[in-house]
Amino acid sequence: MDIRELKISGAWEITPRQFGDNRGVFLEWFKSSAFTAATGRNLELAQANCSVSAAGSLRGIHFTDAPPGQAKYVTCVKGAFLDVIVDLRVGSPTFGEWDSVLIDDIDRKAVYLSEGLGHAILSLEDGSTVMYLCSIEYSPQFDRDLDPFDPELNIAWPTTDRAGHPLAYELSAKDSAAPSLEALRTQGLLPRF
């Protein structure tokens, strides 16, 4: 597998090697030894999640108070998502910046994001399915949200789906009501670098 660090420190793109024949395709979507060698980190697995989304479903920007923080290893097993990572760590050289990776069922890339980083996914096809490995179990008391359309972040969300059709964004009520980066900063709710 090929692993490269994204422009945000603590976030990586993982591209597996795929082996195909007339039966289909085989790949290792996570391998502890390769991951640790490339990132210098261990992934402690506490929870695994699966989410299926219609085209236009925008989930996030989510993050967890740090400490304890929640690291995530995310891949798409069906369809396509734009995976967006936002640096929310006050004091980080890339604070407020974002990077993205197209995760889909063609290249089968994965994304790893460290504790303190924000995360969002936008489904680009009906039935798109994402799988997450999480370093801690979901703990609602530590869960935070950030407005994915905050102009301070200026995220370039796609306006068309995988087939080129216009996207209508669908957000949960919780994500629709998420505060701005400035509000979270003012309230002292952002992680520190």
Side-chain angles (χ1 to χ4, degrees), residues 8 10 12-13 41 49 61 63-64 74 80 84 92 96 108 114 134 143 148 157 164 166 169 176:
I8 296 171
W12 285 268
E13 172 190 88
R41 299 184 55 104
N49 300 330
I61 300 168
F63 65 102
T64 303
V74 184
V84 175
S92 168
R108 295 182 169 85
S114 300
C134 302
D143 193 36
W157 295 109
Y169 303 123
S176 293

Side-chain angles (χ1 to χ4, degrees), residues 26-45:
F26 173 84
L27 62 122
E28 296 171 340
W29 70 278
F30 176 79
K31 188 171 188 173
S32 182
S33 60
F35 175 78
T36 300
T39 67
R41 299 184 55 104
N42 290 316
L43 178 60
E44 299 286 330
L45 178 60

